[in-house]
Amino acid sequence: MTSPPRGSRRRRPVLVPVASALGATGLGVTALFGGLKDAPEEPAPKVAQGQVIDQGQFRTQFIKAIDTTEKDDFGGSKRYLELVLKVTNKGDKTTYVGTVPAPGGKFSPIGGFAGSLLRTKPEIKTKYGAQASVISYGIKSQQLHPGITTTVVVKYELEPSATAPTEITVDVGRFSYESFGLRDQTHYWELVSDDKQDTFVPAVAAQVSLPVRQELG
């Protein structure tokens, strides 16, 4: 399915000095007034721990990152690097928390909230991929209800002997509310794309860095 044009981050036009244009001959009106050229892409804003990020569809706080262990169903334990977030669904419909993109894999423009957690630095390698869940009163679910702030936990399983990073940085995407097409005016939320890429790659709206601390499970 081909997605319609999306609202996305555009490169800022910069005027070429007029004096240079006046020195040229045989140029059109655009050259006479300086023309346009692309400015260097500005880096995504860096967001501090606990600061609220407006993602369009969601309002998000990255609360903490922890290196922890949890009991499994067989009496043993598993070790995780966990991201704990507070997420508010700003839309008017219940939506699923979604799936965290796999490192090196393709992105989906409609991957749910977790699909906006584009990548981590350093990359956290897990056997089965990261898992995202909504935690409410100790109960796990996959639903984010409109107008409600809930806790979302993203878990990266670690090997028992692995060394966890001292800090983790997350690239975060942003959603826009778009119509399906010219004839079909059904609207839906999707990630804003990086319009410089030939294939769909979400634009990075913000980068948030969190210290990783050890915490008993």
Side-chain angles (χ1 to χ4, degrees):
M1 180 180 69
T2 302
S3 296
R6 293 177 284 271
S8 59
R9 192 176 50 170
R10 302 291 181 184
R11 289 178 289 180
R12 181 165 47 87
V14 176
L15 290 176
V16 176
V18 176
S20 299
L22 293 176
T25 58
L27 300 180
V29 175
T30 301
L32 178 63
F33 287 95
L36 297 175
K37 69 175 182 179
D38 291 327
E41 187 68 24
E42 295 181 356
K46 297 186 183 300
V47 178
Q49 179 179 2
Q51 185 176 340
V52 174
I53 302 173
D54 183 3
Q55 292 187 261
Q57 187 180 8
F58 305 100
R59 189 166 57 247
T60 307
Q61 281 181 295
F62 284 75
I63 304 302
K64 61 181 179 179
I66 58 174
D67 175 7
T68 186
T69 57
E70 296 181 6
K71 298 290 185 182
D72 62 21
D73 296 332
F74 305 99
S77 62
K78 290 186 177 181
R79 185 165 165 235
Y80 295 96
L81 191 153
E82 294 185 357
L83 304 179
V84 181
L85 306 88
K86 293 289 186 181
V87 179
T88 305
N89 178 2
K90 294 167 56 184
D92 56 6
K93 296 179 180 179
T94 296
T95 184
Y96 289 100
V97 71
T99 304
V100 180
K106 294 183 178 180
F107 292 97
S108 170
I110 50 174
F113 166 76
S116 69
L117 307 180
L118 307 179
R119 63 188 64 85
T120 64
K121 302 172 187 175
E123 178 184 308
I124 307 299
K125 296 180 179 180
T126 61
K127 187 175 181 180
Y128 301 108
Q131 300 176 352
S133 300
V134 178
I135 308 296
S136 180
Y137 299 103
I139 300 173
K140 291 184 181 180
S141 78
Q142 293 292 306
Q143 294 183 325
L144 292 165
H145 298 292
I148 298 176
T149 300
T150 50
T151 299
V152 172
V153 176
V154 180
K155 300 167 64 171
Y156 300 83
E157 186 174 349
L158 301 176
E159 294 294 331
S161 60
T163 301
T166 58
E167 182 179 78
I168 186 169
T169 298
V170 185
D171 287 353
V172 183
R174 190 177 187 279
F175 296 85
S176 62
Y177 197 54
E178 302 292 342
S179 62
F180 186 79
L182 295 177
R183 294 184 179 179
D184 186 350
Q185 289 299 304
T186 302
H187 282 67
Y188 61 99
W189 289 98
E190 67 171 18
L191 284 169
V192 175
S193 67
D194 183 341
D195 60 358
K196 300 185 298 301
Q197 304 292 332
D198 294 331
T199 58
F200 177 77
V201 176
V204 179
Q207 286 186 327
V208 56
S209 294
L210 302 164
V212 179
R213 71 170 189 260
Q214 286 192 327
E215 188 170 293
L216 296 177

